[in-house]
Amino acid sequence: MTLLRFNTVDVFAEHQFGGNPLAVVHGADTLTTEQMQSIAAEFNLSETTFVLRPADPANTARIRIFTPRAELPFAGHPNVGTAYVLASEAERRKRPILDDTMKFEELSGVVAVNVLRNGAGIVGAQVAAPQQLSVGSGLAPGIVSALCGLPTASIEQSRHLPVIASAGNPFVFTQLRDRAALSAATPNQAAFEQHLPRELAAGLFLYVREPTSDPPIQARMFAPLHGIPEDPATGSGNVALIGLLAHLNSKPDLVLKARIGQGVDMGRPSLLQAMAAKRNGVVTATQVGGRCVPVMSGTLTLR
């Protein structure tokens, strides 16, 4: 019999039961990949993380990230939530994290995460994407229309066609014409199976830009082939989105920041703070962060 501690936390949340829930399983060194996948399916959240000893003692931990159906090389909300949980535990033990900076070993590389504080203590975290922005092939608007059940007229094509981009985890990014179209989108699993296999992209990321609204960007992300019909908040998607928007901007040098809302249409409102730096026409760095709220803690028993 094996006993494992776990915590759950709402990530990119302003209050409990908002944002994107995450399960963090501690002391997972003895678990097999199959056991981790089964535990993630049991939690049935967008992602579950497993904390292991790092290969390099200079790093904080090794982290493995699983959806209910597959392991991911990188994801934003699992890094933010795991950092929040580990930093909060370290604080309670009177062993605060040095310089509020953590380094996680992941399949995508070493990921740097900074703890966010206010006067009350640790409130969240901010993660830097482990890879530089890459912009790949496009996808025909008609295919995107099939994926999300919208007419092609709902797809905004003036700034960019649907395109695969990644800062550690690839998504198909599609701008829609208005908020009504975003609300009406519905994932079509059969279309995903036909047109968007998991090895091509993690999911479909839809967004609208409304400069007079707060937040000025609203997004939704569908990944049914990962067991995630819709994700309340997608850090790896939003960190690539801010990089893509900086890439598309005509200025060769800039620092672009944005507040991005997600999860509203599924009753899990989330707020993400994203940033991209661009120098000499190249996006050199991207970050995403937000607040976290603890929800549960307990013990998982493996027999």
Side-chain angles (χ1 to χ4, degrees):
M1 182 181 296
T2 302
L3 299 179
L4 298 165
R5 290 190 306 111
F6 74 87
N7 297 88
T8 73
V9 58
D10 289 337
V11 183
F12 302 125
E14 298 297 296
H15 55 78
Q16 199 173 55
F17 310 125
N20 198 350
L22 173 76
V24 180
V25 179
H26 302 268
D29 298 271
T30 62
L31 297 181
T32 66
T33 296
E34 291 74 19
Q35 286 174 316
M36 292 183 193
Q37 186 64 77
S38 295
I39 291 169
E42 182 76 10
F43 276 115
N44 201 31
L45 301 175
S46 295
E47 283 100 7
T48 297
T49 61
F50 296 85
V51 182
L52 302 89
R53 290 187 297 271
D56 183 347
N59 297 323
T60 308
R62 183 159 71 98
I63 304 295
R64 296 184 68 179
I65 304 168
F66 288 80
T67 74
R69 294 186 185 174
E71 185 170 10
L72 296 179
F74 167 75
H77 112 273
N79 276 285
V80 169
T82 302
Y84 172 82
V85 168
L86 296 184
S88 298
E89 285 203 348
E91 198 97 330
R92 285 193 294 271
R93 294 172 180 171
K94 309 298 182 184
R95 300 176 63 184
I97 301 298
L98 181 64
D99 297 327
D100 281 344
T101 300
M102 312 177 85
K103 291 185 178 180
F104 294 151
E105 299 170 0
E106 300 179 15
L107 292 180
S108 61
V110 177
V111 178
V113 189
N114 294 320
V115 175
L116 299 178
R117 295 177 178 269
N118 66 9
I122 297 170
V123 296
Q126 181 180 63
V127 58
Q131 298 175 10
Q132 193 166 325
L133 176 75
S134 62
V135 180
S137 59
L139 214 62
I143 291 178
V144 172
S145 177
L147 293 172
C148 64
L150 293 175
T152 54
S154 297
I155 298 173
E156 177 61 60
Q157 303 179 44
S158 61
R159 298 191 73 244
H160 69 90
L161 293 175
V163 63
I164 296 175
S166 174
N169 203 14
F171 295 89
V172 175
F173 289 92
T174 302
Q175 183 176 359
L176 299 181
R177 292 192 181 277
D178 54 40
R179 187 69 181 82
L182 186 67
S183 295
T186 303
N188 181 329
Q189 177 150 343
F192 273 81
E193 291 171 353
Q194 181 178 356
H195 299 296
L196 198 64
R198 286 196 317 221
E199 57 269 22
L200 182 62
L204 174 64
F205 194 102
L206 306 173
Y207 73 98
V208 294
R209 302 185 73 179
E210 297 180 333
T212 59
S213 301
D214 185 29
I217 299 175
Q218 287 281 349
R220 298 179 72 185
M221 198 286 284
F222 304 139
L225 301 189
H226 278 281
I228 307 169
E230 181 170 359
D231 197 29
T234 314
S236 60
N238 281 284
V239 78
L241 173 64
I242 195 70
L244 177 63
L245 296 179
H247 169 77
L248 294 169
N249 194 296
S250 60
K251 296 180 180 177
D253 300 283
L254 60 82
V255 174
L256 183 63
K257 296 181 180 181
R259 288 161 52 87
I260 304 172
Q262 193 178 336
V264 173
D265 295 283
M266 59 183 300
R268 300 283 310 195
S270 306
L271 182 64
L272 304 92
Q273 306 274 0
M275 184 281 295
K278 183 180 180 183
R279 296 288 180 270
N280 298 319
V282 176
V283 177
T284 57
T286 52
Q287 296 179 341
V288 67
R291 298 171 68 94
C292 299
V293 183
V295 180
M296 290 184 279
S297 60
T299 303
L300 188 155
T301 306
L302 290 183
R303 294 181 173 85

